[in-house]
Amino acid sequence: AAGTKAGLVKISEDKSAQVRRLLISNLSDKLLFIQVGEIVKGGKQDRTMQTSLIVPPKTNDMPVPSFCVEQSRWAGGKAFTAAGMIVPDKNMKVAVQTGSQGSVWSNVAKYKTRASTNASIASGKEVKTSKSSSVNEELGDKDFRKLIGGYEKALADATKQFKMPRGLATVVDGQISTVDIYHASSLFQKLYPTLLKSAAAEAAAGQFKKTPPPFTVKQLVGFLAGAWDGKKQKETLGYENVVVRIVTPQTLASQLFFKDKLMHVQVLKLDKPISLPTTNNNQLNDSNRSNNNNRPNDNNRLNNNVAPAPVRQRAPAESSTNRPAKSKPATKSKSAIKSKSATKPQSATKPQSATNKQN
């Protein structure tokens, strides 16, 4: 969001205006990290990013795979602005990761209904689902924003008690939803307000059941440890980005590698078993575009942090999870993962020290 406001990052429709592809230009001299599920507004339709990516500095019109989160509109200009939000629903994230546009639209509609229902209950007045088909309209509703704001306020300082937090685990109604882990604490802390807003929006559209028992560190470690023994799929995206997806009956994990370095891990809890889609390797490459001189070099590195190390069997003794003790909402909880987090994904590509961007 900061990069688009400063004019250093430009997002636009592809020249052929394809729903499944946007163009991103990184005009800065730093690496740009794009988060899977990040929402942008404008263009012909509001979109979300299908995968996490690194955009090299001084790169023009890099193709980025996307999905529509606004079914009914196909009109407008070419430019987009960052919404400062990630898709606020676990099943929406799964649909994005598995390449199902129909499922994305279906989950957007379900989310909008839950959000307006909960806003009505909380405000004591009828809050109608927005006329627009975009998830952004619901997220911007003033009554629903009050619900989201309560969670954000309670958890805004949750990471400050840790020296180098690197990730966030979202628990809604007592059930794990999403875990995001990053190669550098500096990147995570820049993303934390957006991650928290998304988690808060997911919690605000929850079921408001009786307060569940706390989700424990032991449960979190077990959830992560079981995420790496599934079917693996490697997708070469181009621009030195590679995504490895791992699916088990209970989880969908994705790992972003840039120049063979692990940058981002996301693990989603599945409600039902899924199949991985057929990959489209090198989908970011375009023979009509030249990327010469667009590769980062050592001068672009901000630090040399080591990627988090998820373990298959048991966590190191120093691993922990950040859960605010006093200010958490009654029916939801969040956990910030410390930098020595217990998570070592096993993949075809060996994680090494990570290159750090950040706009």
Side-chain angles (χ1 to χ4, degrees):
T4 55
K5 289 180 180 178
L8 296 174
V9 177
K10 296 185 182 297
I11 308 169
S12 64
E13 294 282 6
D14 187 84
K15 293 178 181 178
S16 58
Q18 301 178 39
V19 172
R20 296 291 302 276
R21 189 164 80 168
L22 298 175
L23 302 178
I24 292 186
S25 294
N26 176 14
L27 308 181
S28 76
D29 58 358
K30 301 176 182 178
L31 297 171
L32 171 67
F33 175 79
I34 302 295
Q35 168 85 24
V36 59
E38 188 171 349
I39 298 173
V40 292
K41 301 186 294 184
K44 302 291 186 183
Q45 289 175 318
D46 294 351
R47 308 287 223 294
T48 186
M49 305 304 175
Q50 186 183 356
T51 180
S52 291
L53 288 168
I54 299 294
V55 184
K58 305 301 181 183
T59 295
N60 291 314
D61 292 343
M62 174 175 167
V64 175
S66 63
F67 278 109
C68 168
V69 290
E70 183 183 11
Q71 184 174 3
S72 60
R73 180 172 69 93
W74 187 251
K78 293 184 177 181
F80 291 84
T81 58
M85 174 65 80
I86 297 162
V87 288
D89 177 77
K90 174 189 65 177
N91 292 323
M92 220 183 293
K93 293 175 183 177
V94 171
V96 167
Q97 288 269 21
T98 55
S100 174
Q101 179 63 78
S103 183
V104 172
W105 281 335
S106 174
N107 282 289
V108 166
K110 292 175 183 177
Y111 177 84
K112 287 165 67 67
T113 299
R114 295 199 310 271
S116 60
T117 297
N118 287 358
S120 296
I121 295 171
S123 64
K125 63 182 182 181
E126 183 181 8
V127 177
K128 295 182 179 180
T129 304
S130 63
K131 295 180 180 180
S132 165
S133 60
S134 175
V135 70
N136 288 320
E137 299 303 317
E138 226 62 53
L139 295 172
D141 177 84
K142 64 178 182 179
D143 292 300
F144 191 57
R145 278 294 315 155
K146 289 179 182 179
L147 280 178
I148 296 174
Y151 294 110
E152 289 182 282
K153 183 177 180 180
L155 297 167
D157 297 328
T159 63
K160 292 183 179 179
Q161 59 187 295
F162 296 105
K163 186 176 180 181
M164 291 184 67
R166 290 201 184 192
L168 182 74
T170 302
V171 178
V172 178
D173 293 323
Q175 299 296 316
I176 189 73
S177 167
T178 308
V179 177
D180 284 288
I181 305 169
Y182 301 86
H183 77 287
S185 180
S186 57
L187 175 58
F188 166 65
Q189 293 192 66
K190 287 183 178 181
L191 290 170
Y192 179 66
T194 301
L195 292 166
L196 175 58
K197 184 183 293 184
S198 174
E202 182 174 4
Q207 299 182 37
F208 291 149
K209 294 180 179 179
K210 184 179 179 180
T211 303
F215 194 82
T216 66
V217 173
K218 183 177 180 180
Q219 286 176 291
L220 176 59
V221 171
F223 172 75
L224 292 173
W228 317 113
D229 290 325
K231 181 179 179 181
K232 295 180 176 64
Q233 178 192 81
K234 182 178 179 181
E235 185 173 9
T236 303
L237 298 170
Y239 289 74
E240 300 185 76
N241 287 273
V242 174
V243 170
V244 176
R245 295 184 179 91
I246 308 167
V247 64
T248 75
Q250 292 80 35
T251 58
L252 171 62
S254 64
Q255 303 166 291
L256 170 68
F257 293 88
F258 177 69
K259 300 183 74 173
D260 295 333
K261 299 173 179 66
L262 182 60
M263 308 298 283
H264 176 223
V265 175
Q266 183 177 85
V267 185
L268 301 171
K269 178 70 172 67
L270 298 177
D271 290 339
K272 58 183 179 181
I274 62 167
S275 298
L276 291 172
T278 302
T279 62
N280 180 19
N281 281 336
N282 297 306
Q283 62 176 289
L284 301 188
N285 290 333
D286 190 323
S287 60
N288 295 322
R289 295 187 178 91
S290 172
N291 193 40
N292 294 334
N293 303 318
N294 281 341
R295 299 291 184 237
N297 54 42
D298 288 341
N299 294 328
N300 295 318
R301 296 185 181 184
L302 300 185
N303 59 41
N304 199 30
N305 291 304
V306 177
V311 217
R312 295 178 68 130
Q313 297 176 352
R314 65 178 185 177
E318 67 269 29
S319 298
S320 184
T321 297
N322 170 14
R323 217 173 32 250
K326 298 181 180 180
S327 59
K328 65 180 181 181
T331 60
K332 329 289 173 189
S333 65
K334 309 283 178 297
S335 299
I337 302 171
K338 293 180 67 176
S339 64
K340 294 185 180 179
S341 180
T343 49
K344 179 157 192 159
Q346 304 296 322
S347 73
T349 312
K350 183 179 179 181
Q352 302 174 27
S353 60
T355 303
N356 183 14
K357 141 316 97 191
Q358 282 68 289
N359 274 339

